[in-house]
Structures are given as structure tokens and as C-alpha cells.
Amino acid sequence: MFKKCSSISLFGFLLIISIGLFSCKSKFEKLKASNNYQKKYQEGIKYYNKKDYSRALALFDDLIQRYRGREEAELLFFNYAYANYFLKDYTSAGYHFKSFADTYPNSSRAEECRYMSAYCAYLEAPNATLDQTNTLQSIDKLQLFINLYPKSTRVAEASKLIQNLRDRLEVKSYENAKLYLTIGDYKSAVIAFRNSMRDFPDTKYAEEMEFLTIQAQYMYAKNSREEKQEERYEEGMTDYNEFKEKYPSSQYLKQAETLNRQCENGIQTVKKYFANINNVEKEYKKRIEQEKSKQTQATQDIKTP
């Protein structure tokens, strides 16, 4: 008997909850479908303040165009941008934050929205393994914020975000250069390492990249045509001398010395190669001259009575 009553009580409780939820949902859906825009505005703000951003956004969507130009529009557009942000739709949020700042440049909220637009771009910037187009755009937006609001309390944070993004670009540049070396595109590797060190003169990878430049240059010379090898080996030796002077205690110094000796040996080898070719050409010309001389002599012997 007790179990039966308990089951009925439980069923009744669940039924009441279900009816309550259905009623709430029906109330919201009815409001959303209605033309009572003032009520939608009021309820949308309430949902937003309760952090029910999905419902708030659903109501705001119906109001954005209708309220444009009205007194209530500023708060509506501001909350609309943040609702997208809190729902992690950073593309939409960034767009609407910028739109707010452009529409209300004199608003007390304009600075915040300009920063949040740049911050959304920062959140969308990919990690160092992916294409960095968005990273560059994010840096531009953060720098624009700093230029527009140089005295803002947010400048320090914006500067940190820019440095973080530049660190990603630095890693991407370093990894790309190493990839060229790994796949055996030595010419591109040399260029990429040098470009990376030019673009990021204070990079933490400088010592390693300068060593890898020697390695890439040596392999580039080794795999070149013989007439190009001497010049390219010499470039490798120049890279080594600069490396040795800059990093006399480097962990890569012994390996760099080995590569330098290999460049020296490569130069000697290619000189011998061309010396042999010259000797062969001289011998060939000598034989040709000898043959011509014999033929001339034979012709003269035939003509002599």
C-alpha cells in the first residue's frame, strides 16, 4: 500500500514538473511569436540578466532592426553583442561589438566594445600549427584599439595579447623553416630560416636556427650542380664563422665545425672535379692537334715528288 502511494506521489510530482516546464516553454514561444515588441524587449533584458543568453538572443533577434534609432537601442545592441559572446559565437560577437562602437562612438561603452571586438578576434586566432591569417588580423585589431585609446586601462592587456599572438607567429615561422629542411627543400629552408630571424630578431630559437641554416646551406650546396657548389659551400662557411663568433659556447658548435669541414672538403672536391675536366679537355685538345698534325704531314708526304 505504501509503495503504491509512493509511486502515485512520484508520478504526480513528475507530472507537475512536466506541466510547469511545458507552460514556461509555451509562454516563451508565445512571446517570441507575438508582436508585443515592448514586452519582448523587457523579457529579453530579464533573460539576459538571468544569464539565459539563448532565450535573450532569440528575443533580441526579433528586435534589432525594429529598435534601430530608438533610445532603447544602445542597451539592446550592447547586450546583443555580449549574448553572442557568452554563447561563444565569437565571430558574431566581434562583428556586433565593432558595429556598436561604430554606431555609438561617443557612448561610454564604445571603448569596451572596441576592445571586445579585438578580443573576440584574438579568441578566434588559431594555434601555431594552422594558417595564421586570422592571427595577423587580430594583431591589427588590437593595435588599432591601442592607437584609438592609448590611455585606456585595457592597453596593457591588449599589448599582452599582441605579444601572445606574435609568439604564435614566431613558432609558426620556426616550424615552417624546419619543415623545409625535413622534406629536403634546402634552398627554401635557408631562405625561411633567414627570414624568420629577420622578422623575429629576438626569437628564442635564434641559436638553433642559425645552426640549422649552416646545415641547410651545406645540403643545398651538396645537392647543387657542380658549377654552383663552390660558391654555396663558401656561403655555408661564412654562416659558420658568424655562428662561431656569436655563440662560442653553443651546444651546436661541434656539429657546426663538422659541417664547416664538410664545406671545405666539398670545395676541394669540386675543384678537383673541374681540374680533372680541364685536364681531360687539354688532353683531348692535344690529341686533336696531334691528329691534325699527322694528317697535315701525311698530306705533305703524298704531294712530295
Side-chain angles (χ1 to χ4, degrees):
M1 182 67 178
F2 178 75
K3 289 183 178 179
K4 185 176 181 181
C5 290
S6 298
S7 298
I8 292 172
S9 298
L10 179 61
F11 175 77
F13 175 74
L14 292 175
L15 181 61
I16 292 170
I17 294 296
S18 298
I19 292 172
L21 291 174
F22 180 76
S23 298
C24 290
K25 183 178 180 181
S26 297
K27 180 181 177 182
F28 173 77
E29 292 299 333
K30 286 179 181 179
L31 176 62
K32 190 175 185 308
S34 76
N35 293 325
N36 189 343
Y37 298 108
Q38 183 62 33
K39 182 68 172 177
K40 282 185 180 181
Y41 181 91
Q42 293 171 351
E43 293 300 314
I45 297 297
K46 287 181 182 179
Y47 280 127
Y48 179 86
N49 290 335
K50 291 178 181 178
K51 300 183 179 181
D52 189 345
Y53 302 116
S54 294
R55 287 185 175 179
L57 193 61
L59 294 178
F60 291 161
D61 277 332
D62 294 341
L63 301 172
I64 287 295
Q65 293 302 323
R66 186 167 293 275
Y67 270 71
R68 191 174 295 279
R70 294 174 57 174
E71 184 179 346
E72 302 97 326
E74 182 177 334
L75 179 60
L76 175 63
F77 293 167
F78 182 74
N79 288 349
Y80 186 72
Y82 262 111
N84 280 284
Y85 171 76
F86 288 129
L87 291 172
K88 298 185 178 181
D89 183 354
Y90 300 125
T91 300
S92 296
Y95 171 81
H96 291 296
F97 280 125
K98 181 181 182 300
S99 179
F100 181 97
D102 292 341
T103 304
Y104 303 100
N106 298 320
S107 169
S108 60
R109 301 182 176 102
E111 177 190 322
E112 178 181 352
C113 285
R114 188 74 68 185
Y115 173 79
M116 288 302 298
S117 176
Y119 183 61
C120 286
Y122 168 81
L123 292 175
E124 288 206 299
N127 61 43
T129 62
L130 303 176
D131 179 74
Q132 296 299 301
T133 301
N134 285 348
T135 301
L136 293 168
Q137 293 174 351
S138 180
I139 289 174
D140 289 342
K141 289 179 179 180
L142 286 163
Q143 188 60 56
L144 175 61
F145 171 80
I146 292 173
N147 294 344
L148 290 174
Y149 304 98
K151 297 181 180 180
S152 170
T153 57
R154 297 181 175 91
V155 165
E157 183 61 26
S159 297
K160 288 181 182 178
L161 296 179
I162 288 175
Q163 186 57 53
N164 182 287
L165 294 170
R166 285 177 175 162
D167 288 344
R168 294 186 201 181
L169 294 176
E170 178 185 329
V171 172
K172 180 68 173 179
S173 179
Y174 162 74
E175 293 291 350
N176 279 351
K178 286 184 69 176
L179 179 60
Y180 283 125
L181 183 59
T182 300
I183 65 176
D185 187 350
Y186 303 118
K187 179 179 180 180
S188 296
V190 170
I191 294 171
F193 281 127
R194 288 175 177 164
N195 286 344
S196 184
M197 288 183 285
R198 180 201 64 204
D199 295 339
F200 305 97
D202 298 323
T203 177
K204 59 186 176 183
Y205 304 111
E207 181 180 341
E208 180 185 0
M209 285 199 290
E210 291 196 40
F211 162 70
L212 292 175
T213 302
I214 301 170
Q215 183 178 338
Q217 183 64 42
Y218 164 71
M219 294 302 298
Y220 177 40
K222 183 179 179 182
N223 289 277
S224 298
R225 298 192 306 271
E226 285 79 3
E227 60 269 23
K228 297 287 186 179
Q229 285 185 341
E230 183 174 354
E231 177 187 354
R232 290 171 182 172
Y233 279 131
E234 287 176 349
E235 286 185 39
M237 293 171 66
T238 299
D239 290 335
Y240 162 74
N241 289 327
E242 292 175 355
F243 179 83
K244 181 176 65 172
E245 183 176 348
K246 190 180 290 187
Y247 306 104
S249 303
S250 173
Q251 60 177 317
Y252 305 109
L253 190 57
K254 287 186 178 180
Q255 292 171 270
E257 288 171 350
T258 299
L259 289 169
N260 187 58
R261 285 194 297 271
Q262 289 173 330
C263 286
E264 291 173 344
N265 293 337
I267 291 174
Q268 295 304 315
T269 299
V270 77
K271 283 183 175 180
K272 289 179 182 178
Y273 170 82
F274 282 112
N276 288 335
I277 289 178
N278 288 334
N279 289 335
V280 169
E281 287 179 348
K282 287 179 181 178
E283 184 64 28
Y284 176 75
K285 288 179 181 179
K286 181 179 179 181
R287 290 180 180 179
I288 292 295
E289 291 299 323
Q290 288 175 343
E291 288 297 325
K292 286 182 178 179
S293 178
K294 287 180 181 180
Q295 289 177 3
T296 301
Q297 186 62 45
T299 302
Q300 290 176 348
D301 290 345
I302 292 172
K303 291 181 178 181
T304 301

